[in-house]
Amino acid sequence: MSTTPPPQALTTDPPAGELTENDGALDWLRALGPRGRRAFAGAFGGYALDSYDYFTLPLSMVALAAYFGLDSGQTGLFTTVTLVVSAVGGALAGVVADRVGRVKALMITVITYAVFTVACGFAPNYETLLVFRALQGLGFGGEWAVGAILVAEYASAKHRGRTLGAVQSSWAVGWGLAAIVYTLVFSFADDDLAWRIMFWTGALPALLVIWMRRRVHDAPQAVAVREQSTEKGSFTAIFKPGLLRTTIFAGLLSTGVQGGYYTLATWVPTYLKTERGLSVVGTGGYLTFLISGAFLGYLTGGYLTDRLGRKRNIWLFALLSAVCILAYANIPDGAGGLLLVLGFPLGFCMSAIFSGFGSYLSELYPTAVRGTGQGFTYNTGRAVGAVFPTTVGFLADSWGVGGALVFGAIGYGIAALALFGLPETKGRELA
């Protein structure tokens, strides 16, 4: 039985005229109120651009490897370094969010990942690119956790799962945008220049920060509770007896899910080009099915996490994601149509499992340390899970990329087991 103290009650009554008990498909959005909808837009845009900046690397991986003469282990290290450093950035962003507010912390993370993504485009050698990519991870690591908390503190318990699932779906939007830009850039520019252009387009998030600075604010009730608390965000607080169990198992949950996910996100484009022999345009077509499945998976998973509960939703899609990986990696040669078709359920399942994370991790911690708890557990999982893509990189030389992808299924098994140490939080109000 978990010893996690339940968060204090928080009244989240919307302004007069706002609807909370509608039967419409968008009742969750109406219930947020005007301020909540602006917070949602800021978090949605920030995470979409976070995704866009992240995928500039995997989509450019083949060109980078050729330009710098890299082997699979070295290219896999790009992802590992990004994710390991992002754990530091995410943990620190959580503390900052608890101390200075969610919106200020969100803007800091967006500026950080935008600046260093652009810097990657100017890298003269492998070592410099590795350093810039690592620094990009500082901002990349913090954006999701801070944005998710910002929106979670506006959302009602009834709608929180689908609200945060909608925020999570912006990852697929950014991924899709990156795939479109990749297809265009690599179709019209030489590979040696195209990968640099991809990184330079990472300047887009700066426009979002300008808007957020004037229009987005923290949830007033949560600000009041946070300011009255005598215990501000700190790492020691989430390791005290009342929260220690939660922190350990939430970290394991994050490790398993992200280990499986980043294995696929990093290596599927390379797998399609090197082992399936697809062209740039062909790879983009296959990714369209994968990304479409991901977008619908985020929305569906958000709905199911409110209906089934946080834990059942994660259990369901951990199993289905593992099955999809095994099927996708073992499609026989020449079955290009089957490869295309299976891309949709693969994207759907590996994304639907994430939909409950925003609400679940937010509900596991009280307001004063919510940023710290969510930032630390999510990003510790990201750092440890980063071992998976590198392992695949080294195994790919002997097993082939397709065979090595099976390693990602292990991550989903870890996630399923971690849930036995965590409570169900469906219906829990936040403060």
Side-chain angles (χ1 to χ4, degrees):
M1 181 175 180
S2 172
T3 56
T4 304
Q8 309 98 307
L10 172 64
T11 300
T12 55
D13 295 333
E18 291 299 320
L19 304 176
T20 60
E21 296 296 334
N22 299 302
D23 295 324
L26 295 179
D27 58 339
W28 59 269
L29 185 60
R30 289 189 288 268
L32 285 172
R35 289 168 63 103
R37 287 194 287 271
R38 289 196 295 271
F40 173 84
F44 187 97
Y47 198 48
L49 292 169
D50 194 15
S51 170
Y52 178 89
D53 278 13
Y54 173 78
F55 279 106
T56 54
L57 176 64
L59 290 169
S60 304
M61 195 84 85
V62 174
L64 282 171
Y67 186 86
F68 291 117
L70 309 178
D71 59 29
S72 296
Q74 289 175 306
T75 52
L77 190 59
F78 276 125
T79 298
T80 298
V81 167
T82 302
L83 299 183
V84 169
V85 176
S86 75
V88 177
L92 292 176
V95 174
V96 172
D98 284 336
R99 291 178 176 270
V100 306
R102 314 322 191 193
V103 175
K104 289 181 180 178
L106 184 61
M107 290 191 294
I108 291 170
T109 62
V110 172
I111 290 171
T112 301
Y113 73 65
V115 167
F116 288 108
T117 297
V118 173
C120 286
F122 294 98
N125 52 51
Y126 170 71
E127 292 76 17
T128 303
L129 181 59
L130 196 63
V131 170
F132 284 154
R133 187 64 179 181
L135 293 174
Q136 185 261 2
L138 288 175
F140 169 70
E143 196 285 333
W144 178 82
V146 176
I149 293 169
L150 171 66
V151 177
E153 290 176 340
Y154 275 105
S156 67
K158 176 184 177 182
H159 302 129
R160 191 172 297 119
R162 70 200 78 178
T163 303
L164 272 297
V167 172
Q168 196 83 47
S169 72
S170 66
W171 181 265
V173 173
W175 188 4
L177 179 61
I180 291 170
V181 174
Y182 157 80
T183 301
L184 293 173
V185 170
F186 276 82
S187 294
F188 293 102
D190 182 79
D191 283 9
D192 289 350
L193 176 62
W195 70 264
R196 293 187 185 276
I197 295 174
M198 283 293 295
F199 284 120
W200 292 336
T201 60
L204 290 171
L207 299 175
L208 177 68
V209 172
I210 295 172
W211 177 79
M212 283 197 303
R213 189 171 182 270
R214 300 183 59 183
R215 301 288 292 167
V216 183
H217 307 281
D218 288 6
Q221 299 96 330
V223 171
V225 173
R226 192 168 66 244
E227 290 179 346
Q228 293 169 9
S229 176
T230 58
E231 185 176 44
K232 301 298 182 182
S234 68
F235 293 124
T236 56
I238 62 173
F239 284 98
K240 289 182 178 179
L243 290 171
L244 177 60
R245 178 188 176 92
T246 294
T247 298
I248 291 173
F249 282 100
L252 284 173
L253 174 65
S254 296
T255 296
V257 171
Q258 295 189 85
Y261 179 85
Y262 283 110
T263 295
L264 294 169
T266 301
W267 287 106
V268 163
T270 300
Y271 170 63
L272 294 176
K273 289 190 72 174
T274 61
E275 297 197 11
R276 294 294 174 172
L278 298 182
S279 64
V280 169
V281 175
T283 299
Y286 278 73
L287 288 177
T288 297
F289 272 74
L290 189 67
I291 295 167
S292 298
F295 181 74
L296 292 177
Y298 285 129
L299 296 178
T300 303
Y303 174 78
L304 290 178
T305 200
D306 281 336
R307 292 297 299 268
L308 302 178
R310 304 347 182 190
K311 294 175 66 172
R312 288 181 179 177
N313 183 70
I314 295 173
W315 264 320
L316 172 63
F317 287 107
L319 173 62
L320 294 178
S321 295
V323 170
C324 284
I325 291 177
L326 295 174
Y328 199 76
N330 289 283
I331 296 173
D333 293 336
L338 185 58
L339 189 70
L340 180 67
V341 171
L342 281 181
F344 187 90
L346 176 66
F348 184 94
C349 293
M350 74 182 198
S351 299
I353 193 172
F354 270 108
S355 295
F357 265 53
S359 53
Y360 194 32
L361 295 181
S362 293
E363 292 161 354
L364 288 172
Y365 290 93
T367 300
V369 295
R370 183 168 295 128
T372 305
Q374 182 156 334
F376 178 84
T377 55
Y378 186 81
N379 287 287
T380 295
R382 179 180 275 169
V384 180
V387 173
F388 286 67
T390 298
T391 301
V392 169
F394 284 106
L395 291 176
D397 290 333
S398 55
W399 293 11
V401 177
L405 281 175
V406 175
F407 189 77
I410 297 174
Y412 292 111
I414 294 173
L417 292 174
L419 288 170
F420 287 103
L422 294 169
E424 175 58 60
T425 60
K426 178 184 176 183
R428 180 174 291 179
E429 295 288 354
L430 298 187

